[in-house]
Amino acid sequence: MSTEGALSRSRLLPSLLGILLLLMGLALLAGGVKLSTLGGSWYYLLAGIGLALTGVLLIMARRAALGLYALVLFASTVWALWEVGLDWWQLVPRLAMLFALGIVMLLPWFRRPLLTTGASPMGTRALGAAVVIAGIAALASQFTNPGEIKGQLDRDSVPGMTNTAPAMPDGDWNSYGRSAHGDRYSPLAQITPENVGKLKEAWSYRTGDLPGPNDPGETTAENTPLKVNGMLYVCTPHSQVIALEPETGKEIWRFDPKLSTQKAENFKGWAHMTCRGVTYHDDAVYASAEQSPTGTASNTPASTVCPRRIFLPTADTRLIALNADTGKMCEDFGDKGQVDLTANIGGFTAGGYYSTSPPAVTQNLVVIGGHVTDNVSTDEPSGVIRAYDVHTGKLVWNWDSGNPDDTTPIAEGQTYTRNSPNMWSMFSVDEKLGMLYLPMGNQTPDQFGGFRTPESEKYAAGLTALDIATGKVRWYFQFTHHDLWDMDVGGQPTLMDMKTADGVKPAVLASTKQGSIYVLDRSNGQPIVPIKEVPVPQGAVEGDFTSPTQPMSDLNFVPPVLKERDMWGVTPFDQMLCRIDFKSLRYDGMFTPPSLQGSIVYPGNFGVFDWGGISVDPVRQIAFVNPSYMAFKSKLVPAAEVAGGPGRKSETEGVQPNKGAPYGVILEALLSPMGLPCQAPAWGYVAAVDLTNNKTLWKHKNGTVRDSSPVPIPLSMGVPSLGGTFTTASGLAFLSGTLDQYLRAYDVKNGKQLWEGRLPAGAQTTPMTYTGKDGKQYVLVVAGGHGSLGTKQGDYVIAYKLPD
């Protein structure tokens, strides 16, 4: 073999790497030119030039390649540190690829053919120094935790503060939020921070209700079961109710409503198949003043047919009353056990109206709202709230936010106000004050409000308190003025007594998508925690307007305004593309108006807080929360162009038509080409708030990308969660809603994760806890996956307990 031939072969690898660097450089150069013309960073343009020239020099086997690459790596390290500091998850993706290539170029077998032409060692030394500097920066960033707050709660109680939620057996969970106050606080203390690490699966049950080929939309499991009347009551996405034995998971009875699809199979993408919960009513609770939440005995005679009832909202627009003992329909309620919720609402697209959340129940009434599919048209069903006699199903009152003063039951043949704001989430109830608390949505379409009426504007995107007996408005407070961002109030309001500088006050806490937690006196709607009107971006499209200010609570988890440097990706290429996307869109901070250009919505319409709400510990006077941070983008599309668009696939895919409005809208998450969020992690946290001073005690990133990344590595980056939490008297909190498939337990004093249980499917639900007849405390979760989030689907109900 000739020396020339051997040298030629030894230069093959440098040449191949040179070609790779040349292509990488040209890609960065092209994207860098685009980014710089948008007013963005010049780094990618300059780095592209440096990499391309390095590639050319390697192909030519020139000694200058090592020195030039050293300059590129060193400059990239300085630039990255200047932009993000020692933030591991932002620093490493900027440098990892360049660092790895630098290591390769330092290898003797790689350098040898270059050095044979008389290469100076200076280039090698410079490259070695650049690699060491980049490596030290990456190693140092491992010890930082940007965005996290470390703290410690130093008390087990606040003197004089107790749990004032409606009384029930400690081991029961008889309402969606455990009590009608929506506090999600259990007085159980058998499972503690000291022994929770020993939790083991006690039993697992499969409902058999899985997504089907004829489902009208996405199947999402969001159920929190009840434990009451000696049974567990589970509802499935297709509105089946199953009663289980709490200690074993053995099925006791099952009710299948035999859903009518209303021909919704022809309208895929228009609906969610989900059931967040059912509601329980027991005549015996109201039989005496001692048991009654109101402190007075009921004058209404108990039912001889169904003294204990389960109320089920169905996906085909019915409200069904079941005998809680047997699962048979209560024949004395409505029409042989059911009420038709299509009555008086007018026409609607199949699958476009139904109730996804459990109704509220009081001494004499069952009260229900409804989900109206977003962004279909300007002529959708009313968001009316209806109260029915808990025994007969007779309509007692109706509150229509489009006609708010007249709550007299609507006359036959009349129709509620079309398109008035709805309440799709969960009520809270204070029977002693005689009020229902409604977290309100807005008038569709979400991103254009030019046609909204004064009545719909008044009650939208806020909290409304209704008189239980009459349905009349007692007070209201709006959290988003003229909402153009789908900032409807998703979480169930939480009621508790709160210790303040002015004494103990009856409070309602409303968590919101924009990140504020509004704390009001629930008796009159006056703020307990200050709320300020802050200026926001202006400039709506023609035919619409924006509010000059928006209310922000002093208690909030509002994220900082996004910057270009916050755009993220696992490689420099998707980082650059995310930056181009960011600079191409309109973004002036939170509440940037929707636009034809396309606008960034941050926080997005999944919110900082969504329907999972928050939980509290009324004895320790803390709130346990799980804020998420995901940016979305919305682009208005002129009506004339909507018909030629890709069409609607779901509420977050394709062109939302907004028929009757001048614009449709495209809504989607702000994602990189790899399907990961464009904004930098962390995307999800757990945190605790000291409610005596409204300060964040601690805040830690939460969850891994194990089940949402191409490679199933459990990197603890902090992922979004959809679903709620609960706390216990022993000082624990539980959460299952993260994108990875785990149920986790935390110490409420410092946020330390104490235990996790691997789940067979996604669990975008709120877990719960109860005591069985065996005296054991159980923790239970429904793991069925979520269609919108793409988590693994299933049909599991899983209970955990401590070993015997």
Side-chain angles (χ1 to χ4, degrees):
M1 181 184 298
S2 68
T3 302
E4 183 178 348
L7 182 59
S8 176
R9 274 187 285 275
S10 68
R11 287 178 179 170
L12 177 61
L13 288 176
S15 297
L16 290 175
L17 181 58
I19 294 171
L20 176 62
L21 287 176
L22 176 60
L23 294 175
M24 290 170 56
L26 292 175
L28 289 179
L29 177 59
V33 169
K34 174 69 173 177
L35 182 58
S36 62
T37 60
L38 292 170
S41 172
W42 283 64
Y43 164 77
Y44 295 91
L45 187 157
L46 297 175
I49 293 172
L51 289 180
L53 290 176
T54 301
V56 171
L57 290 172
L58 283 176
I59 294 170
M60 297 171 63
R62 297 290 296 273
R63 61 181 180 269
L66 300 180
L68 180 57
Y69 191 81
L71 178 61
V72 172
L73 178 56
F74 177 75
S76 297
T77 304
V78 172
W79 166 79
L81 290 169
W82 173 73
E83 278 211 325
V84 301
L86 294 175
D87 182 339
W88 168 268
W89 287 114
Q90 292 208 64
L91 186 67
V92 170
R94 283 168 163 82
L95 299 178
M97 181 181 294
L98 299 178
F99 176 81
L101 292 175
I103 294 289
V104 171
M105 293 171 69
L106 283 173
L107 296 173
W109 55 263
F110 185 93
R111 291 185 289 113
R112 192 172 296 120
L114 302 178
L115 294 175
T116 55
T117 61
S120 167
M122 293 301 296
T124 303
R125 292 171 184 171
L127 181 55
V131 167
V132 168
I133 292 170
I136 290 174
L139 289 172
S141 68
Q142 292 188 74
F143 303 101
T144 64
N145 293 289
E148 296 205 354
I149 298 172
K150 292 185 178 180
Q152 180 78 30
L153 181 69
D154 59 2
R155 62 175 185 261
D156 286 316
S157 65
V158 171
M161 301 309 297
T162 61
N163 181 19
T164 56
M168 72 179 81
D170 285 355
D172 278 5
W173 189 287
N174 70 7
S175 187
Y176 174 83
R178 187 173 185 268
S179 76
H181 281 195
D183 51 1
R184 297 171 191 81
Y185 170 77
S186 170
L188 297 181
Q190 188 179 107
I191 302 172
T192 69
E194 291 72 31
N195 63 27
V196 68
K198 299 178 181 178
L199 275 185
K200 301 292 182 183
E201 184 177 309
W203 55 261
S204 177
Y205 170 84
R206 301 196 66 171
T207 68
D209 189 347
L210 291 164
N214 293 321
D215 284 346
E218 296 167 335
T219 299
T220 62
E222 298 178 350
N223 176 236
T224 297
L226 307 184
K227 191 272 179 176
V228 65
N229 194 34
M231 303 184 207
L232 286 168
Y233 297 101
V234 177
C235 75
T236 72
H238 292 84
S239 306
Q240 297 180 30
V241 180
I242 305 167
L244 303 176
E245 189 175 85
E247 301 78 23
T248 64
K250 179 181 178 182
E251 184 175 312
I252 299 172
W253 57 256
R254 177 189 291 252
F255 172 78
D256 185 348
K258 305 295 183 183
L259 292 180
S260 163
T261 66
Q262 301 173 328
K263 297 184 179 180
E265 64 270 16
N266 297 326
F267 297 90
K268 288 186 180 293
W270 297 87
H272 292 278
M273 297 296 293
T274 194
C275 175
R276 292 191 183 90
V278 296
T279 307
Y280 177 78
H281 183 273
D282 188 343
D283 286 338
V285 170
Y286 297 95
S288 66
E290 289 77 16
Q291 287 183 292
S292 171
T294 63
T296 58
S298 173
N299 295 320
T300 303
S303 170
T304 57
V305 178
C306 291
R308 291 168 293 279
R309 298 176 180 228
I310 293 292
F311 288 100
L312 166 70
T314 70
D316 60 356
T317 333
R318 291 178 282 166
L319 175 62
I320 297 176
L322 303 175
N323 186 314
D325 297 334
T326 66
K328 304 297 183 183
M329 293 176 70
C330 297
E331 296 285 332
D332 59 349
F333 183 80
D335 181 10
K336 297 182 180 180
Q338 62 186 6
V339 168
D340 180 8
L341 297 178
T342 66
N344 305 99
I345 67 168
F348 61 94
T349 302
Y353 178 86
Y354 58 102
S355 295
T356 58
S357 299
V361 69
T362 70
Q363 180 169 292
N364 301 316
L365 301 174
V366 55
V367 189
I368 193 164
H371 161 90
V372 178
T373 301
D374 291 338
N375 299 320
V376 176
S377 76
T378 58
D379 183 27
E380 292 301 308
S382 171
V384 63
I385 308 299
R386 289 175 279 191
Y388 299 93
D389 184 285
V390 78
H391 293 123
T392 67
K394 180 181 178 181
L395 184 64
V396 176
W397 56 256
N398 38 229
W399 181 71
D400 176 358
S401 58
N403 182 26
D405 298 326
D406 185 4
T407 62
T408 304
I410 194 169
E412 186 176 352
Q414 292 187 343
T415 303
Y416 296 112
T417 307
R418 297 288 286 175
N419 222 40
S420 58
N422 66 321
M423 194 226 77
W424 55 266
S425 184
M426 285 67 63
F427 301 85
S428 292
V429 185
D430 187 331
E431 291 196 72
K432 289 185 178 180
L433 288 178
M435 280 189 258
L436 286 161
Y437 302 91
L438 282 59
M440 292 295 296
N442 53 36
Q443 182 176 6
T444 187
D446 290 328
Q447 285 73 32
F448 181 80
F451 298 154
R452 294 177 186 168
T453 65
E455 291 81 12
S456 70
E457 293 276 52
K458 183 176 181 179
Y459 296 105
L463 196 63
T464 298
L466 301 183
D467 184 272
I468 290 175
T470 66
K472 297 286 186 180
V473 175
R474 296 274 287 270
W475 58 259
Y476 67 94
F477 199 106
Q478 189 169 74
F479 302 143
T480 305
H481 306 319
H482 193 63
D483 179 14
L484 300 175
W485 307 271
D486 191 19
M487 291 297 168
D488 43 5
V489 185
Q492 181 182 27
T494 296
L495 313 185
M496 66 177 292
D497 285 1
M498 183 180 291
K499 189 168 187 177
T500 74
D502 300 321
V504 177
K505 292 190 175 184
V508 53
L509 288 75
S511 58
T512 59
K513 292 181 178 180
Q514 63 265 39
S516 277
I517 299 176
Y518 298 91
V519 185
L520 310 174
D521 186 319
R522 68 177 184 268
S523 67
N524 56 30
Q526 295 301 305
I528 293 175
V529 174
I531 299 170
K532 300 180 180 68
E533 291 285 339
V534 298
V536 295
Q538 298 296 292
V541 293
E542 183 179 355
D544 207 345
F545 66 93
T546 51
S547 171
T549 63
Q550 293 290 351
M552 182 180 291
S553 172
D554 278 2
L555 173 51
N556 71 75
F557 286 83
V558 175
V561 174
L562 288 174
K563 305 292 185 184
E564 183 196 332
R565 64 173 178 262
D566 297 317
M567 294 300 101
W568 185 83
V570 295
T571 71
F573 304 100
D574 48 332
Q575 294 162 26
M576 178 182 66
L577 292 173
C578 280
R579 286 175 182 247
I580 292 171
D581 206 6
F582 177 82
K583 298 298 290 188
S584 299
L585 297 165
R586 182 181 175 188
Y587 180 65
D588 304 310
M590 192 162 68
F591 298 114
T592 297
S595 64
L596 293 167
Q597 172 187 351
S599 297
I600 292 177
V601 185
Y602 185 64
N605 61 350
F606 266 27
V608 176
F609 303 108
D610 203 346
W611 55 261
I614 64 174
S615 59
V616 297
D617 183 328
V619 179
R620 292 180 175 86
Q621 289 282 289
I622 64 171
F624 180 78
V625 301
N626 54 314
S628 296
Y629 299 100
M630 284 286 290
F632 276 65
K633 53 185 178 181
S634 66
K635 182 178 182 179
L636 297 178
V637 181
E641 301 176 16
V642 170
R648 179 181 173 122
K649 297 179 181 179
S650 72
E651 287 187 312
T652 55
E653 292 182 283
V655 178
Q656 316 297 305
N658 293 346
K659 185 178 180 181
Y663 306 99
V665 65
I666 299 173
L667 299 169
E668 54 191 356
L670 183 61
L671 300 177
S672 76
M674 297 185 69
L676 296 172
C678 267
Q679 99 262 8
W683 306 298
Y685 294 86
V686 287
V689 177
D690 185 340
L691 295 175
T692 66
N693 58 21
N694 306 312
K695 303 296 185 184
T696 300
L697 282 162
W698 50 261
K699 178 183 172 187
H700 304 308
K701 63 185 178 183
N702 183 59
T704 74
V705 295
R706 171 175 176 173
D707 297 305
S708 52
S709 65
V711 181
I713 301 174
L715 300 173
S716 299
M717 299 175 70
V719 296
S721 56
L722 185 63
T725 65
F726 74 84
T727 64
T728 72
S730 69
L732 289 171
F734 288 83
L735 167 67
S736 67
T738 52
L739 293 184
D740 57 349
Q741 296 164 203
Y742 290 96
L743 170 65
R744 293 183 171 95
Y746 312 85
D747 188 329
V748 299
K749 287 188 174 182
N750 53 32
K752 181 180 179 182
Q753 181 180 307
L754 302 174
W755 172 84
E756 65 181 17
R758 180 70 174 161
L759 301 172
Q764 283 65 55
T765 59
T766 302
M768 49 83 75
T769 188
Y770 63 90
T771 301
K773 293 178 182 177
D774 55 4
K776 294 284 188 178
Q777 180 184 351
Y778 293 78
V779 175
L780 182 139
V781 65
V782 173
H786 198 280
S788 295
L789 295 180
T791 55
K792 183 179 178 181
Q793 296 193 295
D795 61 341
Y796 300 88
V797 183
I798 305 172
Y800 299 85
K801 69 174 182 177
L802 296 172
D804 294 332

